[in-house]
């Protein structure tokens, strides 16, 4: 069942509560929250207090994507702030610390996610797939919204999908970056089960129709937050 995770990075930061309600009303499944530190990526967005505030007003689970250096330092704080899915980057720390981060996220009750940049080979994430509840494939260079979709990552997506079907079939496979009405189908065709959309969602005249199109009309069984 395809799940949709609109990103508030493309929303109005002066009206995030309003935008989160818009995401919920559209029929989406998650609220995607991009956290950037200005070190791992050349941009700074939001941090732990804002995630906590979003958690208090969101009727949907928070899908928090940490684009930060050495994320092990902060996974506990983000889980306590209300992240339901917490994704770290394989490039952001040592293998030992990446494993520790994923294990700690699961211990804290959130879904542990692992992301890789467009140029990162699939082999770099293989040692960690047993710990993952989600794998996030970037279809743009992380750091800024509104970028052009990189179709050349689709073979990588398909390869990961095949590996997960064999070894971790319950793991979600997410695509983030440039997902819109022109690109979503190739993501689904190559095995994606979660689609992140930012600019395309917020620029849509009918956001509910946009979500239904990306999902293909299927109903979601994801429970709402309580």
């Amino acid at each position: 069942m395809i799940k949709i995770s609109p990103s508030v990075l493309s929303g109005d930061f002066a009206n995030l509560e309003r935008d989160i309600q818009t995401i919920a009303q559209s029929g989406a499944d998650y609220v995607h929250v991009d956290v950037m530190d200005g070190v791992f990526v050349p941009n700074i967005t939001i941090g732990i207090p804002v995630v906590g505030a979003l958690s208090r007003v969101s009727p949907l689970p928070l899908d928090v994507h940490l684009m930060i250096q050495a994320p092990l330092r902060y996974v506990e704080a983000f889980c306590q702030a209300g992240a339901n899915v917490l994704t770290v980057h394989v490039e952001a720390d040592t293998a030992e610390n990446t494993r520790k981060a994923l294990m700690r996220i699961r211990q804290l009750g959130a879904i542990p996610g692992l992301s890789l940049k467009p140029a990162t080979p699939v082999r770099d994430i293989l040692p960690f797939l047993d710990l993952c509840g989600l794998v996030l494939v970037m279809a743009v260079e992380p750091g800024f919204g509104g970028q052009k979709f990189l179709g050349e990552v689709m073979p990588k997506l398909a390869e990961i999908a095949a590996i997960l079907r064999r070894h971790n079939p319950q793991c979600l496979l997410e695509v983030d970056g440039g997902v819109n009405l022109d690109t979503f189908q190739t993501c689904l065709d190559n095995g994606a089960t979660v689609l992140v959309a930012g600019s395309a969602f917020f620029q849509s005249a009918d956001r509910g129709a946009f979500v239904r199109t990306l999902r293909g009309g299927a109903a979601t069984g994801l429970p709402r937050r309580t």
Side-chain angles (χ1 to χ4, degrees):
M1 186 176 298
I2 305 305
K3 301 182 187 300
I4 312 301
S5 187
S7 173
V8 294
L9 181 64
S10 297
D12 180 351
F13 274 36
N15 293 282
L16 286 179
E17 181 175 2
R18 180 204 64 192
D19 284 350
I20 281 181
Q21 297 305 320
T22 296
I23 291 171
Q25 291 163 8
S26 75
D29 303 283
Y30 299 118
V31 173
H32 192 82
V33 184
D34 291 301
V35 176
M36 306 181 195
D37 64 355
V39 179
F40 182 69
V41 294
N43 194 11
I44 298 174
T45 53
I46 65 176
I48 296 160
V50 176
V51 170
L54 298 181
S55 178
R56 291 192 293 273
V57 300
S58 178
L60 297 177
L62 298 184
D63 172 20
V64 179
H65 179 192
L66 299 185
M67 287 169 272
I68 66 175
Q69 196 69 27
L72 177 61
R73 299 172 295 165
Y74 297 108
V75 295
E76 184 164 349
F78 276 103
C79 287
Q80 291 174 346
N84 301 93
V85 181
L86 188 60
T87 298
V88 301
H89 266 264
V90 70
E91 308 92 352
D93 212 331
T94 65
E96 179 183 2
N97 283 345
T98 297
R99 180 167 287 273
K100 286 180 179 179
L102 293 169
M103 292 174 64
R104 187 61 180 145
I105 293 166
R106 189 176 295 279
Q107 290 168 355
L108 291 165
I111 295 173
L114 186 63
S115 184
L116 67 168
K117 295 180 180 181
T120 301
V122 173
R123 64 175 179 270
D124 286 9
I125 68 168
L126 296 181
F128 312 105
L129 291 185
D130 60 319
L131 297 173
C132 294
L134 178 144
V135 172
L136 170 54
V137 175
M138 294 298 301
V140 298
E141 287 297 331
F144 295 92
Q147 297 184 64
K148 183 179 178 180
F149 180 81
L150 299 175
E152 56 265 34
V153 305
M154 290 297 99
K156 177 189 297 187
L157 179 66
E159 181 180 354
I160 296 171
I163 294 168
L164 292 177
R165 284 194 295 271
R166 294 193 301 270
H167 300 292
N168 189 354
Q170 301 305 312
C171 186
L172 300 169
L173 183 53
E174 186 171 68
V175 177
D176 183 5
V179 176
N180 57 36
L181 295 177
D182 296 321
T183 61
F184 83 96
Q185 190 61 55
T186 189
C187 297
L188 300 183
D189 291 345
N190 284 282
T193 58
V194 183
L195 300 176
V196 177
S199 301
F201 174 84
F202 281 103
Q203 292 172 7
S204 177
D206 187 334
R207 293 164 181 169
F210 177 85
V211 168
R212 290 191 296 274
T213 299
L214 264 60
R215 189 184 288 121
T220 177
L222 187 72
R224 296 171 71 85
R225 286 169 56 92
T226 57

